[in-house]
Amino acid sequence: MKQSIFAELLKLRHSRIGLVLAVLPIISLLFGCTNYYFNKGVLGNGWYSLWSQVSLFYGEFFLPILIAICCSYVCRLEHLNRNWNMILTSPVSVASVFLAKLFVVSILVMFTQTFFLGLYWLAGTLSPLPGPFPVETIGWTVRGWFATLSISALQLGISLRMRSFATPIGISLCAVFIGLGMYAANLGMFFPFSLLTIGMSVLSQDRLTDIQNILFWIVNLTFVIIFASISIRRLKNKDIVSS
């Protein structure tokens, strides 16, 4: 497992994925801050109002797309030059290959979450916004990262089966709108993309009840296990088309 993770990290050397991880949070923050600035008259809750704006663009649209990009990127090399044939006939287990990729994607997303939180703090400090920095946003960021694990497991399974780099990203964008619908129908706990909305407190900063909080963590973990199990089983039992 360690060797598989090390191999995945080596593939990221000299890549430009870090630029994507930095640019998308910056763009989403600029959009959110601009929207906050022009609507200060109705957004009078300081730090929390700013969070509602920046996290709306970031958590609802840019972050799911970024996850899809990361998943497609870590699978890109395997889809070239029939590398899947070499990997699937190597002594490394299929489970190790999938879990190593999932681990690397989760680390990349964790970096992005931390960077986004730092940008949020910087924007609020430079404004400046009244009152202290809300420590709840740290918990929302961590909870949002955990929600990305189920999305990552799903997107990674899609990227492993598809040679196209862009198609899984398009699927992710469609799932975003489905997630918004599920959230509006109060069914957000049962769809991975809606769980991200809940986890980051994007549309509502109301505190989750104890039952909701427990359900959030359990459902996310269940999704990760289900998506990972399905993908690993498919890798074991079905051929992958490579170029």
Side-chain angles (χ1 to χ4, degrees):
M1 182 66 181
K2 290 182 180 180
Q3 291 180 341
S4 297
I5 294 174
F6 183 68
E8 293 297 329
L9 292 174
L10 281 178
K11 295 174 189 176
L12 298 178
R13 292 180 61 187
H14 310 300
S15 71
R16 296 182 180 179
I17 190 67
L19 182 62
V20 178
L21 297 178
V23 169
L24 289 183
I26 292 174
I27 293 175
S28 61
L29 190 93
L30 291 175
F31 282 168
C33 288
T34 301
N35 199 47
Y36 173 77
Y37 177 80
F38 285 107
N39 293 278
K40 276 188 175 181
V42 295
L43 299 172
N45 202 16
W47 285 94
Y48 296 99
S49 293
L50 179 62
W51 177 266
S52 69
Q53 299 307 299
V54 298
S55 65
L56 176 63
F57 290 97
Y58 173 73
E60 284 297 331
F61 299 101
F62 287 95
L63 183 55
I65 292 174
L66 187 145
I67 294 171
I69 291 174
C70 288
C71 290
S72 290
Y73 193 87
V74 298
C75 296
R76 177 175 175 270
L77 184 61
E78 282 77 6
H79 287 304
L80 298 174
N81 302 320
R82 300 187 181 276
N83 287 328
W84 272 121
N85 297 337
M86 180 176 62
I87 291 174
L88 295 178
T89 55
S90 68
V92 180
S93 68
V94 170
S96 294
V97 173
F98 181 87
L99 294 177
K101 290 182 180 297
L102 181 60
F103 177 81
V104 169
V105 171
S106 69
I107 294 300
L108 294 176
V109 176
M110 181 184 293
F111 164 80
T112 307
Q113 287 286 89
T114 304
F115 183 58
F116 173 76
L117 185 64
L119 289 175
Y120 165 71
W121 170 82
L122 183 64
T125 302
L126 294 178
S127 291
L129 293 176
F133 175 80
V135 294
E136 299 99 312
T137 55
I138 299 176
W140 296 342
T141 303
V142 174
R143 201 168 60 187
W145 171 79
F146 188 73
T148 65
L149 295 181
S150 57
I151 299 176
S152 298
L154 173 61
Q155 287 292 145
L156 190 57
I158 295 173
S159 296
L160 286 170
R161 298 300 305 176
M162 293 184 174
R163 287 172 50 193
S164 171
F165 188 93
T167 302
I169 299 173
I171 292 174
S172 177
L173 186 58
C174 292
V176 165
F177 292 102
I178 296 174
L180 284 172
M182 294 285 284
Y183 181 88
N186 294 321
L187 297 172
M189 284 290 183
F190 306 102
F191 192 69
F193 289 79
S194 304
L195 286 169
L196 179 57
T197 303
I198 296 171
M200 290 196 67
S201 295
V202 173
L203 300 178
S204 174
Q205 285 78 54
D206 293 338
R207 184 176 180 179
L208 297 180
T209 65
D210 291 339
I211 295 177
Q212 288 174 328
N213 201 35
I214 294 173
L215 184 62
F216 171 84
W217 294 92
I218 291 176
V219 172
N220 263 297
L221 184 59
T222 302
F223 274 136
V224 172
I225 294 173
I226 291 174
F227 294 145
S229 299
I230 292 174
S231 296
I232 291 171
R233 181 172 297 179
R234 285 177 64 89
L235 285 174
K236 289 180 178 179
N237 300 329
K238 293 191 177 182
D239 293 332
I240 292 180
V241 178
S242 58
S243 60

